[in-house]
Amino acid sequence: MRREYLPSTALQTWAGLNDVHLNGVRIGQTSNDRGLGVIATTESLEGPAILMIVPSHLILSLENVWIHAKSDPHLKEVLDAVGEYSQTARGAILIFLLMQITHSALAGSDKIGVANPLTEYVKFLPPKVPLPTFWSPEEKAVAVGTSLEAALGSKLRSLDREFTHLHDSTASIGWCQKHWWRVGSGALSLDDWKQVDAMYRSRALDLPGTGHAMVPYVDMANHASGDETVALYDTDVDGNAILFLREGKSLKPGDEVSITYGDEKGACEMLFSYGFIEGTMSSARELFLDLDIPDDDPLKLAKKAVSKAAPGFKLFSKEGTIGWEGEFTWLVCVNEEDGLDFRLMQTIDGEKELKLFWNDEELLDISKLRSFLQEGLYWDVFQLRAIATLQGRVEQQLITLERSKDSINASKLEADRNPSSYWVIMRLRELEEKLMLQAYEEFEERVLQGLPLVSVYCYC
């Protein structure tokens, strides 16, 4: 679908018209080739000075999307049509973004939707967001063997399902059929859906008191972690979004005002969601590897049927030590002879339901399995099994990473055309290989010693 764009030089005017309060900052080109950013214009700003106040009605959140729908019948029609999907922040915001693009693309009597300040703000967003969902086959080939390979494949399948759901839910709506779906006049494509997804993922903030949202102007700030983070964002008592200078920080004209997108995020997540890996990152920090139940496990189908846990584990490095977490791992490592059992039980409405038991006690939540194992006599044995399983999976991933080097050589031509994406993927390969080698060696040491690695669980 055709998009309209406005020059960044008009952002100051947009801010003034919409009561965005700026204190000694503006949006402008950065001096380090990071594109647009928040730039200081005033001398002697010191923390915790407020740099920006964005009115609450400009915050693009789940709640505000539904408020917009009260005066925009076309928006409400689509939100209602897609059902539960529009009850999530992501779903509602993606549909809202798509509606603003559609409104701007149509002219005259074909106009649908109601214009609002965010209709214009969307026109300031860049035409291209360099996320992996837009990579060519050659670029994807370079990512083979990294944790991003599986994450990207899963994301692309998810986007395809969402787009199909949008089509199936709205194809019977007259204006949707005409402007989105009809062969010849319909203009909406999967690429458009990927675009609004990229807008959201690369700009969404976890705003206190609001949740996941896009905040105009604040979302123009670039990322820097640790002590390099210059400013923080929050919500004031009136529900407005504010950007304020960190305590102990000061600014002079020309300085860039950075925020953090998440200091604990790993290299894969940064590349997946934002399209870059911070230059100062010396570790992958974390990665997720899928884990399958062996085919010779007689309870494989039953385990998969009852498990709601992600089928894999997270590997991470904290203060130089390897840790892991993953509820699914424990289910992989135990079997019937250990005390695991499945029973087909009848519910109160007469339906049959598969239930999980450990030593004749029902497990209502798979996350409790670890506690049951820990309380038993063979906890050390189960931990050792888990470590051996994880080590084998890490070894398998390292082999895949090594073998994929041939595909990297085959992708050199693509690298010459798009060197930035090539080198950032190479950086991910380097960081993840380093983390996995460290994990393999640490797992090996514990297996040889017969001592388990303590798994760390983090509830978020």
Side-chain angles (χ1 to χ4, degrees):
M1 179 172 286
R2 180 182 61 85
R3 280 185 62 192
E4 286 190 0
Y5 298 96
L6 289 172
S8 60
T9 51
L11 270 167
Q12 197 81 11
T13 302
W14 183 89
L17 290 172
N18 293 288
D19 299 321
V20 176
H21 176 72
L22 304 176
N23 177 30
V25 294
R26 64 176 176 83
I27 304 299
Q29 290 292 330
T30 61
S31 59
N32 51 8
D33 297 325
R34 296 209 293 177
L36 292 178
V38 180
I39 309 297
T41 61
T42 304
E43 194 78 52
S44 302
L45 280 173
E46 296 184 356
I50 292 179
L51 306 175
M52 240 181 244
I53 302 177
V54 180
S56 59
H57 69 272
L58 293 179
I59 298 171
L60 185 47
S61 63
L62 173 62
E63 180 182 3
N64 279 351
V65 168
W66 281 96
I67 289 175
H68 280 288
K70 292 179 180 178
S71 59
D72 186 340
H74 293 102
L75 172 61
K76 188 174 188 306
E77 202 170 12
V78 177
L79 292 172
D80 288 341
V82 298
E84 292 182 0
Y85 183 69
S86 64
Q87 301 301 318
T88 66
R90 182 178 180 277
I93 292 172
L94 261 63
I95 289 170
F96 181 88
L97 291 169
L98 190 61
M99 290 295 294
Q100 306 320 300
I101 294 171
T102 303
H103 176 86
S104 300
L106 301 177
S109 60
D110 281 338
K111 278 284 187 187
I112 59 96
V114 177
N116 61 77
L118 292 171
T119 308
E120 298 303 298
Y121 188 75
V122 170
K123 297 177 184 178
F124 291 112
L125 302 183
K128 183 178 180 181
V129 184
L131 298 192
T133 43
F134 297 102
W135 280 354
S136 67
E138 291 84 3
E139 288 168 305
K140 292 176 188 175
V142 185
V144 169
T146 68
S147 63
L148 181 61
E149 179 189 10
L152 180 55
S154 177
K155 181 64 177 178
L156 290 171
R157 290 189 294 273
S158 175
L159 288 170
D160 188 67
R161 287 193 300 270
E162 289 176 343
F163 187 68
T164 300
H165 175 62
L166 178 66
H167 172 272
D168 294 347
S169 302
T170 62
S172 61
I173 299 173
W175 67 264
C176 292
Q177 178 61 224
K178 178 181 179 180
H179 299 301
W180 284 357
W181 311 121
R182 183 181 297 165
V183 176
S185 63
L188 196 61
S189 68
L190 178 59
D191 191 65
D192 295 310
W193 189 246
K194 289 162 66 175
Q195 288 283 355
V196 292
D197 165 74
M199 289 178 191
Y200 174 75
R201 280 195 293 131
S202 62
R203 292 179 174 276
L205 306 173
D206 191 3
L207 191 64
T210 299
H212 292 122
M214 291 172 66
V215 184
Y217 251 78
V218 175
D219 64 14
M220 291 286 183
N222 289 314
H223 166 80
S225 62
D227 192 54
E228 296 301 311
T229 303
V230 174
L232 304 173
Y233 53 85
D234 205 342
T235 308
D236 67 15
V237 293
D238 298 316
N240 305 314
I242 60 172
L243 183 70
F244 62 96
L245 206 56
R246 287 179 67 186
E247 194 76 47
K249 294 290 184 181
S250 61
L251 292 172
K252 62 181 184 299
D255 286 350
E256 183 177 359
V257 180
S258 59
I259 61 174
T260 177
Y261 297 172
D263 282 14
E264 300 302 316
K265 290 180 178 177
C268 179
E269 186 176 358
M270 290 298 292
L271 181 52
F272 179 78
S273 296
Y274 306 109
F276 69 89
I277 297 175
E278 197 171 8
T280 58
M281 188 177 282
S282 59
S283 166
R285 292 180 185 158
E286 64 181 38
L287 58 86
F288 183 86
L289 294 179
D290 64 302
L291 192 62
D292 199 8
I293 300 169
D295 290 334
D296 60 359
D297 186 336
L299 298 179
K300 178 175 181 174
L301 294 179
K303 288 179 178 181
K304 285 193 169 186
V306 301
S307 177
K308 293 184 174 71
F313 62 97
K314 183 170 77 172
L315 196 65
F316 60 88
S317 174
K318 192 168 185 179
E319 297 178 354
T321 301
I322 294 295
W324 68 274
E325 58 183 40
E327 298 164 357
F328 188 76
T329 307
W330 301 109
L331 192 60
V332 173
C333 295
V334 294
N335 230 311
E336 193 171 15
E337 58 269 22
D338 302 311
L340 191 70
D341 189 23
F342 293 91
R343 301 174 191 173
L344 200 59
M345 312 288 286
Q346 185 168 322
T347 62
I348 56 174
D349 58 3
E351 297 293 326
K352 297 288 186 180
E353 186 177 358
L354 193 63
K355 298 280 189 178
L356 174 63
F357 288 80
W358 178 256
N359 289 331
D360 293 324
E361 186 171 345
E362 185 179 354
L363 266 174
L364 298 175
D365 186 347
I366 192 175
S367 65
K368 301 292 191 297
L369 178 58
R370 180 183 186 276
S371 298
F372 277 76
L373 299 178
Q374 196 169 7
E375 292 167 1
L377 296 175
Y378 301 105
W379 172 232
D380 285 350
V381 173
F382 295 135
Q383 287 197 88
L384 197 58
R385 283 187 197 171
I387 293 304
T389 299
L390 299 182
Q391 185 189 26
R393 180 64 186 88
V394 169
E395 181 181 25
Q396 180 187 45
Q397 193 71 17
L398 283 167
I399 291 171
T400 302
L401 193 66
E402 178 65 27
R403 288 176 176 171
S404 67
K405 289 180 179 177
D406 289 339
S407 66
I408 296 176
N409 295 330
S411 299
K412 193 72 175 90
L413 180 61
E414 179 68 17
D416 293 337
R417 289 198 297 265
N418 195 0
S420 60
S421 66
Y422 179 84
W423 291 114
V424 76
I425 307 170
M426 291 299 293
R427 179 70 175 142
L428 177 67
R429 293 176 64 91
E430 175 190 342
L431 294 174
E432 290 201 339
E433 182 177 37
K434 178 182 175 183
L435 177 60
M436 288 190 288
L437 284 171
Q438 182 185 353
Y440 182 87
E441 291 171 2
E442 201 161 323
F443 289 157
E444 177 73 5
E445 181 180 347
R446 282 156 178 74
V447 168
L448 291 175
Q449 293 175 350
L451 297 174
L453 174 67
V454 176
S455 59
V456 181
Y457 282 76
C458 172
Y459 296 93
C460 302

